Amino acid sequence: HVFVHCMMLQDVFSGLEESSTILIEDCVDQNGRHLLKCCVCGLSYRYKTIHVVSTDHVIERWSKGLPQDALHRLKIHDFSSDIHVLSWEKSSEHGSKLMIDSYLFQSFVNQSETAIVIDNLSTLLLHYHYTEVCRLIHQLEPHYGTICCLLHCDLHDDHVTDALHHMMSTIITVTVPSDFRHDGLCTILHKRKSGKVLRKKEHYKIFEKFQVKSYQVSDTTPQTNNIQDSTIDPAANLTFDLRLTQRQKEERSQVVLPYTQVKSQILYEPDEHDDLDDSDPDDDLNI
């Protein structure tokens, strides 16, 4: 992974970092719907129409607090009460058949200047197999500029979230902030078309009309001072001097040490029990 120093969250929402599929993951401790609305505001500057597929949130609550410019581009579809559209009551021998994709294709097909926001995928995953939800996203992606989805990740098994991660170009996981100055902490995994993967962790704060600003997370790792290691001198700060002058060093080098000059030999007196054999034990070897 490549670690970058730009404000990735703002760049993804504004379009500076191109992303065709955005997944916002929240948990029971940190709600991600406000951040989803911030994404909608960012999309409103780039797309003429934004279709919001609301599976468990009423229209009145969804539009609350959004700026007028964004509301004019918003088309909210209340699928939470439209059971017929979702075909939640239907099933087949191959499992439940997700019909939401057919409805969307009939309604907004081939609108490249259109974005889709699905709030949220967890509701769909309660009624349909995750492969069908992945198929929905896969079929919608070529026809729309951006698809942004919300997911309550702590409701699903790892293999479900892993499958969704594989499809998404940007995964934003929100958690509780580390201090009271921010509204949340997000970990961003962004896949560029070039194949480069960017990973970033940022704090974010949401202002009026769902304008978001992100901040780089302070590095809490203790910094090592860039000081060169020096050899400790044991002779420093003593009341007497242990150092030798140059003359003393020369005189020391000329001293003849006794063990370097005395010639010695070992004298051995054989005992009567010693078995001394002068013959060569290796005579029979053909060497």
Side-chain angles (χ1 to χ4, degrees), residues 154-166:
D154 47 3
L155 298 180
H156 310 288
D157 295 331
D158 290 342
H159 69 277
V160 176
T161 56
D162 289 344
L164 290 170
H165 288 180
H166 180 73

Side-chain angles (χ1 to χ4, degrees), residues 13-15 37-47 50 210:
F13 284 177
S14 65
K37 288 188 176 182
C38 294
C39 183
V40 169
C41 290
L43 294 174
S44 66
Y45 294 108
R46 296 184 282 134
Y47 294 102
I50 304 171
F210 293 101

Side-chain angles (χ1 to χ4, degrees), residues 51-62 75-86 88 100 103-104 108 117 119:
H51 291 279
V52 177
V53 180
S54 180
T55 61
D56 60 358
H57 210 50
V58 295
I59 295 179
E60 291 75 14
R61 292 181 61 186
W62 228 107
K75 293 186 181 297
I76 304 176
H77 306 271
D78 183 11
F79 285 178
S80 60
S81 58
D82 197 344
I83 305 299
H84 176 70
V85 170
L86 287 172
W88 285 355
I100 184 175
Y103 177 80
L104 291 176
F108 340 128
V117 176
D119 176 20

Side-chain angles (χ1 to χ4, degrees), residues 130-155:
Y130 72 94
T131 56
E132 295 181 1
V133 177
C134 290
R135 180 179 61 85
L136 162 66
I137 299 172
H138 178 71
Q139 290 182 346
L140 291 178
E141 183 179 359
H143 299 277
Y144 302 96
T146 300
I147 301 174
C148 184
C149 308
L150 179 67
L151 178 73
H152 304 321
C153 63
D154 47 3
L155 298 180

Side-chain angles (χ1 to χ4, degrees), residues 26-31 154:
D26 66 2
C27 59
V28 66
D29 295 324
Q30 184 71 16
N31 194 324
D154 47 3

